[in-house]
Amino acid sequence: MKNTNRPIRNRLNTGFAIVIAISFIAISMTFVVIRSITGTTELIYEHPLQVSNAVRDVQISINGIHRSMKDIALTTDTKEIDSIAGRVDEINKEALDAFSVIFDRYLGPKSDIDSAFIAFLQWDPIREEVIDLKLAGLDSEAANITRGKGSRHVDKLFLLTAKMSEFASNKAIETYESARRHEKNSLYLIAGIILLVLLLSVFIASRLSNSISVPINSISKRIADLIEGQSEKQPLITKNLAEEVILDYSVKELEEAYTKARLAGIELQNFNKKLEVEVALRTAELQQGKEKLLKINKEYELLNDELGQTNEELESANEELRQTNELLTNALNRAEEADKLKSSFLANMSHEIRTPMNGILGFSELLKNKDITEGQHQKYLDVICSSGNQLL
């Protein structure tokens, strides 16, 4: 069935069904693009940022345990040793919980986590050995383990956890840059989809308009040609008049012809009636077509309003995504600054502790020499006391 033989209503319904289908596809594609951008943002939060926070918690726990073990090495009260040991167990549990998060979300090599976790577990026997020595009254041996093997193990743990922290930070930056590129490409895609929908809508509207107006214009032209060649009112009727005027004039002409035919005879009267009925039917069809066109135009305006609202919602969603990306960038910068401050603090504290400790250990060794004079003996003791006060 050719398109020109289809009813106008069917043509309009088909055209608008195509426009609605294209709009639905465009909106679906836009939703998929936005969901993809949201998924990238969630990946940044669920993996690199969570891992960075967990690694930071592990390092804080390691530092807390190490500090507590130093307190155990310095104290002589058994009850206080038990209290500090209980606090160490609590911090150790927090570290294990943080390791669980790292195992679940770390995107780097699994060997990084295994190395750090095994080293953390290997620290437990060292701590137990220190506590056992303290409880046995062997304070010097416990202090030596804390300063020596225990301190070196802590340094090893910090190096292993720093490797995971660095990977998580780099992964966060990489994912963020990928999200920005994806966002830019998505904006271009959405703009292209909207432009394509508009062009297709204009094309379909133009085809519908031509399929309706061309037949009506053809009929009006034929009537105008007929009137220009036969009517006495020829100067009043031209092809440039509106189709409604030409059709209205043709109806009047037919009514006059009907009156003349009735006076002329029954045969002409029957012919005129038939023609009048046909004209009335055609006029009713044209009126219905006009009403349908008005209704369709209103529906098209409503559809354009809905598309406008959808565009505003998309712009609002893009703005929220941009703000979220800014917040994530600020959070990442703050985390990096905190990591730098922590490293500087640990370096300063290590220097401040080692300097007086070297003085104590060095002059303690000198006191073992039996050949020193009483003045030197007193001088060495003064240096040891001074270094001890400085360390305190």
Side-chain angles (χ1 to χ4, degrees):
M1 185 176 185
K2 294 183 178 180
N3 186 56
T4 54
N5 294 330
R6 297 174 61 190
I8 293 176
R9 179 178 180 179
N10 291 348
R11 299 182 209 172
L12 293 174
N13 290 339
T14 302
F16 279 100
I18 294 173
V19 171
I20 292 172
I22 294 173
S23 301
F24 177 78
I25 294 172
I27 293 172
S28 300
M29 292 178 65
T30 303
F31 176 81
V32 171
V33 170
I34 294 174
R35 181 57 187 164
S36 177
I37 296 174
T38 304
T40 305
T41 305
E42 291 176 351
L43 177 63
I44 296 175
Y45 174 78
E46 291 295 334
H47 293 281
L49 291 182
Q50 291 284 2
V51 170
S52 294
N53 292 337
V55 172
R56 178 202 60 198
D57 293 340
V58 169
Q59 291 176 339
I60 291 173
S61 298
I62 293 171
N63 190 51
I65 293 174
H66 187 51
R67 204 165 46 240
S68 298
M69 293 307 298
K70 288 181 178 179
D71 293 339
I72 290 175
L74 294 175
T75 186
T76 57
D77 188 349
T78 304
K79 292 183 178 180
E80 186 175 357
I81 292 175
D82 293 336
S83 175
I84 297 173
R87 187 165 68 246
V88 168
D89 291 338
E90 293 177 359
I91 300 174
N92 187 74
K93 184 178 182 302
E94 293 175 358
L96 292 177
D97 292 339
F99 266 112
S100 297
V101 175
I102 297 172
F103 273 110
D104 184 49
R105 301 180 184 277
Y106 188 66
L107 299 178
K110 189 175 182 299
S111 58
D112 294 348
I113 316 174
D114 294 337
S115 300
F117 186 70
I118 291 172
F120 183 81
L121 295 179
Q122 290 173 347
W123 191 21
D124 188 63
I126 299 175
R127 299 197 305 269
E128 291 179 356
E129 183 180 0
V130 172
I131 294 173
D132 292 338
L133 290 173
K134 286 294 295 183
L135 293 176
L138 302 175
D139 296 347
S140 177
E141 288 80 354
N144 289 335
I145 292 176
T146 302
R147 290 192 301 267
K149 182 166 57 175
S151 180
R152 290 192 298 272
H153 202 83
V154 169
D155 293 339
K156 178 182 178 181
L157 284 172
F158 275 119
L159 287 175
L160 292 174
T161 54
K163 184 177 181 181
M164 293 187 295
S165 179
E166 181 181 3
F167 179 88
S169 299
N170 293 335
K171 190 66 177 178
I173 295 172
E174 177 186 348
T175 308
Y176 172 74
E177 291 175 351
S178 176
R180 291 297 301 272
R181 291 193 299 270
H182 186 56
E183 176 187 4
K184 184 177 179 181
N185 295 333
S186 299
L187 291 176
Y188 288 145
L189 178 60
I190 292 172
I193 291 172
I194 294 174
L195 180 61
L196 179 61
V197 170
L198 291 176
L199 292 176
L200 289 175
S201 300
V202 171
F203 174 76
I204 293 172
S206 175
R207 290 294 302 272
L208 286 175
S209 176
N210 290 335
S211 68
I212 295 172
S213 61
V214 170
I216 295 177
N217 291 335
S218 177
I219 294 172
S220 300
K221 181 177 180 300
R222 291 167 62 186
I223 294 175
D225 290 339
L226 180 62
I227 293 174
E228 286 180 355
Q230 299 181 4
S231 175
E232 296 177 355
K233 300 178 181 181
Q234 179 180 352
L236 299 177
I237 303 299
T238 64
K239 297 178 182 179
N240 295 325
L241 290 176
E243 291 82 359
E244 292 87 352
V245 175
I246 296 175
L247 292 175
D248 180 72
Y249 183 78
S250 66
V251 171
K252 292 180 180 179
E253 288 288 303
L254 289 173
E255 289 176 348
E256 293 177 2
Y258 169 75
T259 302
K260 292 179 182 179
R262 187 178 56 181
L263 296 175
I266 296 175
E267 185 178 354
L268 291 176
Q269 184 179 12
N270 292 334
F271 175 79
N272 192 47
K273 285 182 178 181
K274 182 179 179 181
L275 185 59
E276 185 179 18
V277 170
E278 291 177 354
V279 171
L281 290 174
R282 184 59 178 168
T283 302
E285 290 177 359
L286 291 174
Q287 184 63 29
Q288 290 178 358
K290 181 179 178 181
E291 291 175 357
K292 290 177 181 178
L293 284 175
L294 292 174
K295 182 178 179 181
I296 291 170
N297 285 334
K298 290 181 179 179
E299 292 177 353
Y300 189 74
E301 290 175 357
L302 292 175
L303 182 60
N304 283 336
D305 292 339
E306 291 177 359
L307 289 174
Q309 292 176 359
T310 302
N311 289 334
E312 292 177 358
E313 292 175 357
L314 290 175
E315 292 175 356
S316 176
N318 287 332
E319 180 62 22
E320 291 178 359
L321 181 59
R322 185 188 66 78
Q323 294 176 359
T324 301
N325 287 334
E326 290 179 355
L327 291 175
L328 290 174
T329 301
N330 293 335
L332 181 61
N333 292 334
R334 288 197 297 270
E336 291 176 348
E337 291 178 2
D339 186 65
K340 292 179 180 178
L341 290 174
K342 176 204 66 180
S343 299
S344 177
F345 172 78
L346 292 177
N348 290 334
M349 288 302 297
S350 176
H351 175 74
E352 291 298 331
I353 290 173
R354 289 178 182 272
T355 299
M357 185 61 72
N358 288 333
I360 292 172
L361 294 175
F363 283 96
S364 295
E365 289 294 329
L366 291 176
L367 285 175
K368 294 179 180 179
N369 187 359
K370 297 180 180 180
D371 297 332
I372 62 175
T373 64
E374 182 63 25
Q376 290 176 327
H377 185 274
Q378 185 60 39
K379 182 180 179 180
Y380 295 162
L381 288 176
D382 291 339
V383 172
I384 292 174
C385 291
S386 175
S387 298
N389 290 329
Q390 183 180 354
L391 179 61
L392 180 62

